[in-house]
Structure formats: structure tokens, C-alpha cells
Amino acid sequence: MGVSRRYESLDHVTNGTYFENATVQTMVSKPQLPSAIIENENLASTFVDGKFMYYVSLYQLDDESFNAYLKQIGAPVSRFEDGDVPGAVLIDEISYQDMDQKKFITSETVETEIGDTFELRDENATGDAAPLRTIQIGAMTDIAPTGVMTGSLGWLDVIVREGTFEEDAIGDLMKQSSPSIALNTDDPEDTQQVIEAEQNLDLYVFNVSEQREQQEQMLLLLSIFVYGFIVLISLISIANIFNTISTSVSLRRREFAMLRSVGMTPKGFNKMVYYESIFYGGESPCVWDSRQSSHHVPHLSSANQYV
């Protein structure tokens, strides 16, 4: 992580989170599974001997970032001190898209308690393969550290302190992947330009702020189109009302003259025209309501970060 840490000293950068990542697996018995997994037919093949195979995303944060994260979620540091079984933070809630119900669903990741342990195995392990390491749940939260993207249903996201997996098989897995850094900055564009100016081909920059702006611009264009279409339909409806009324009055002059001759008062005449206007005006909205469809617009959240 040493090479990436120097980016925290760049102008406009307020703080940074450094982490390494590796993917392993763990087997969990059925009583600990949330209903979302048990009832999901697409995950039936991941059951082995009555246990469910979770994929585990391990994130190893630097000491400063990890301590700040524990403070953010209100977890005591004592549960994560050095020991034979290292302590870990479990992200216990996820939001995923259910393709069958066509909506986003929030669910528990796994039913467990603080103090429970999980045996971590190699991602490709099968059968009775020996565990690589055992971790103990020291805290559970639905808040992910800055820069960490949570997984989907059937995945566990676990956060540990730097050095937890140093000289073991999991540590070797983490060394095979490139470390990541998430930067909070007051000027995302300037920070991106400074980093890219180094022309480091081993470095990938993802500007969350820029992505957010693109999404907002797309949402703005969509809103302009939708509301512009509504305004156009409204103007056409209003023009249609005036045209219908004026044409009706022009063609029915003799009828109105006859009604006045038999005693219709100016008040009664105005009342008749008023109700006819309401009737004609109500026709267009009724036709529009029968054809319109509802659209779900996702809420956009963001932060000025680089990963």
C-alpha cells in the first residue's frame, strides 16, 4: 500500500482509505440463512450437504482507516485486538435487485451474532478442504467503509485490520491483487488530472463525482423530455378546448338565439357554456391517463471519491 499512500498528500485531498481485497468462501448451516436465500431458486445449486456456500469478500484496511471505521459504526476496538482468532466487521445488510419481482430488496446477509466464528476456505475449495483461517465477528453494521462496494445476495463482505492476513494463504491471495485507495477530495477533477498525469499504466482511476454528474445529466435530459411532453400535451388539450368551444359557438348561433328567444337568461347561457367547457376539458386528461405508464427513477447518492 506504500506507493498509493502518497496520494493522500495531494492538494484538495482531505482523507483516504487504503485496502487490499481477496475472495474466499465459507459454509453456513441452514438455520443461519435469511429467508431471501432459502426461497431463492437460483441459489439452490450452492447448497452442499445441507450447508450454503457463501462467497466472502475480504477487505483489509490500514490501521488509521480501520480505527476511524470502528468509531463511525460505534464498535469497541478491544474486540479487534491481536489474538488467535482475529476479529472482523460483517456487513449484515445488503440491497439487491430481484429480477422476478422487478424491484430492489433489502435483506440480511446472514443470521449471526457477535462472537460467532466463520471458517474461511479457498474460493475454489471443494468437499472437505481444510479452512485457511477462522475469523470471529466483532461487529455488525450496514455501513460500508469509503470505497468498498458491497456484494449481492449470497455474498458476505468482511472488513479486517491491516496485517490480519499477513503470512498465510489468504495474505498470499491479497498480494495477487492490486491494492486500492479511496480518496475524498474537494476538487475531484483536479485530483484526477494530477494522478493521470503520472501515466501509470498499473493505475486505474474511477471518478465517482464524474459518474454522478453524468447520471444527473442523463436524469435531467429525461426529465426535460418527460415534462416537455406533458407541457406539449397540455397545450394541445387547451388549444383543442378553445377550438371546440369557438367552433361550437359559431355553428350554434341559431340554436343560442332560439334559446334566448324562449327565455334563457345570460346567466343560464354562461352556465351552459361553462359546463360544456368542463366536459371538453376533461376528455383529454382521461385519454392521457389511460395511456401513461409509471416509471421508477432510482435515487442517486454520491460522494467525491476515487477508487
Side-chain angles (χ1 to χ4, degrees):
M1 295 186 192
V3 177
S4 299
R5 289 177 186 248
R6 59 190 175 83
Y7 291 123
E8 192 173 6
S9 61
L10 295 177
D11 293 338
H12 306 295
V13 174
T14 56
N15 58 73
T17 301
Y18 311 87
F19 56 90
E20 295 173 321
N21 173 251
T23 301
V24 292
Q25 63 170 252
T26 187
M27 305 301 294
V28 176
S29 58
K30 194 170 183 178
Q32 291 182 279
L33 301 178
S35 58
I37 288 182
I38 296 175
E39 297 171 359
N40 194 312
E41 297 179 356
N42 297 326
L43 298 177
S45 60
T46 53
F47 281 90
V48 179
D49 297 330
K51 292 186 176 182
F52 181 78
M53 185 186 72
Y54 274 99
Y55 284 100
V56 182
S57 286
L58 286 175
Y59 295 93
Q60 190 168 245
L61 273 63
D62 66 280
D63 285 334
E64 183 178 349
S65 298
F66 188 76
N67 290 333
Y69 178 56
L70 293 182
K71 184 177 181 180
Q72 179 186 6
I73 64 177
V77 180
S78 58
R79 295 178 185 168
F80 304 89
E81 295 176 347
D82 294 337
D84 294 335
V85 181
V89 179
L90 173 69
I91 307 297
D92 62 353
E93 186 176 286
I94 58 168
S95 179
Y96 66 96
Q97 186 175 10
D98 189 308
M99 302 306 296
D100 295 331
Q101 300 185 38
K102 296 181 180 180
K103 64 179 181 179
F104 283 87
I105 297 177
T106 300
S107 170
E108 290 183 333
T109 54
V110 63
E111 294 187 4
T112 187
E113 297 178 354
I114 294 177
D116 289 349
T117 58
F118 290 92
E119 293 183 341
L120 305 179
R121 310 195 310 167
D122 186 87
E123 181 182 6
N124 301 314
T126 58
D128 298 326
L132 302 177
R133 194 72 183 270
T134 300
I135 58 172
Q136 185 177 52
I137 303 303
M140 295 186 296
T141 179
D142 60 349
I143 302 174
T146 302
V148 171
M149 306 295 290
T150 57
S152 58
L153 192 65
W155 283 74
L156 296 179
D157 297 291
V158 176
I159 319 299
V160 297
R161 185 189 297 276
E162 180 181 10
T164 300
F165 307 109
E166 198 67 37
E167 299 179 356
D168 55 22
I170 297 180
D172 292 338
L173 289 174
M174 288 192 172
K175 291 176 183 177
Q176 294 175 12
S177 61
S178 301
S180 301
I181 174 175
L183 299 176
N184 288 330
T185 172
D186 296 330
D187 191 339
E189 184 177 352
D190 180 73
T191 303
Q192 180 179 0
Q193 291 177 353
V194 172
I195 295 175
E196 291 180 342
E198 298 181 359
Q199 297 183 350
N200 187 345
L201 299 179
D202 296 328
L203 190 66
Y204 171 73
V205 180
F206 178 73
N207 190 335
V208 177
S209 177
E210 183 180 40
Q211 183 71 14
R212 171 197 172 189
E213 290 178 359
Q214 291 176 356
Q215 291 177 342
E216 289 181 342
Q217 289 175 359
M218 185 176 298
L219 184 60
L220 178 61
L221 290 175
L222 180 62
S223 299
I224 292 174
F225 175 78
V226 172
Y227 290 116
F229 185 71
I230 293 175
V231 170
L232 178 62
I233 292 297
S234 299
L235 293 176
I236 292 175
S237 299
I238 294 173
N240 181 58
I241 293 171
F242 282 108
N243 180 63
T244 303
I245 294 175
S246 60
T247 303
S248 176
V249 171
S250 177
L251 296 176
R252 297 165 60 190
R253 287 180 179 177
R254 293 184 179 180
E255 177 186 346
F256 294 153
M258 181 187 68
L259 292 174
R260 287 176 178 248
S261 67
V262 296
M264 174 177 278
T265 63
K267 182 179 180 181
F269 175 79
N270 292 334
K271 190 175 182 180
M272 181 186 71
V273 174
Y274 172 75
Y275 282 117
E276 283 188 357
S277 300
I278 294 178
F279 175 76
Y280 291 132
E283 284 185 341
S284 294
C286 288
V287 173
W288 167 247
D289 288 339
S290 67
R291 295 181 180 178
Q292 67 179 354
S293 59
S294 61
H295 297 272
H296 172 70
V297 180
H299 172 69
L300 298 176
S301 61
S302 62
N304 293 333
Q305 304 167 354
Y306 289 86
V307 180

